[in-house]
Amino acid sequence: MQQASSFPDSETVASKLTSLASEDKAWVLLLMENALQDENLLAGLNLYLDQQTNARFLNSLKLETTGEWLGGNAPARLQIRITETAKASQHPAFLAFRKGLTASAGLEKAYPKAPI
């Protein structure tokens, strides 16, 4: 019995996050609508961040922008997992992504603090 390949694969998700043109944003938004695709999205995000750590040039502004866009658009069910991914390393690529993610306030919007 052959195991079905997952679609989209992590390379596809990583390439969409790398370019993040308007059509790529629409594609990622569509992917985030389906909870069954969460693992594929997170695997692609991990690959994207790993690729950025190995890049010859660290484009921290682009990483911040990607983090801010993803944090601002990801549904509540993904906010904690994306934040955990961003905290997985102290590499400058992860730090830049995390800075943008924090700026989006997506986690705070998804899980507001309870009034005292």
Side-chain angles (χ1 to χ4, degrees), residues 8-113:
D9 59 18
S10 55
E11 290 85 13
T12 304
V13 175
S15 72
K16 299 291 185 185
L17 291 172
T18 299
S19 66
L20 214 56
S22 60
E23 60 272 0
D24 296 324
K25 286 180 181 179
W27 187 89
V28 173
L29 286 171
L30 188 62
L31 185 66
M32 288 191 292
E33 286 180 12
N34 185 351
L36 298 174
Q37 296 294 335
D38 288 358
E39 295 307 317
N40 295 336
L41 175 74
L42 293 167
L45 175 59
N46 277 310
L47 179 60
Y48 165 71
L49 290 170
D50 287 343
Q51 289 171 343
Q52 298 309 306
T53 62
N54 295 317
R56 293 181 79 190
F57 172 75
L58 180 66
N59 190 341
S60 38
L61 183 58
K62 178 148 179 31
L63 283 157
E64 283 180 38
T65 303
T66 302
E68 189 168 357
W69 181 84
L70 199 55
N73 290 287
R77 71 175 192 280
L78 286 170
Q79 291 293 339
I80 290 174
R81 295 188 69 193
I82 292 171
T83 302
E84 288 172 349
T85 299
K87 291 180 177 180
S89 173
Q90 290 299 313
H91 188 279
F94 281 77
L95 295 175
F97 179 78
R98 188 164 61 232
K99 182 178 178 184
L101 194 60
T102 302
S104 75
L107 189 61
E108 289 78 19
K109 291 174 193 165
Y111 301 99
K113 293 183 180 184

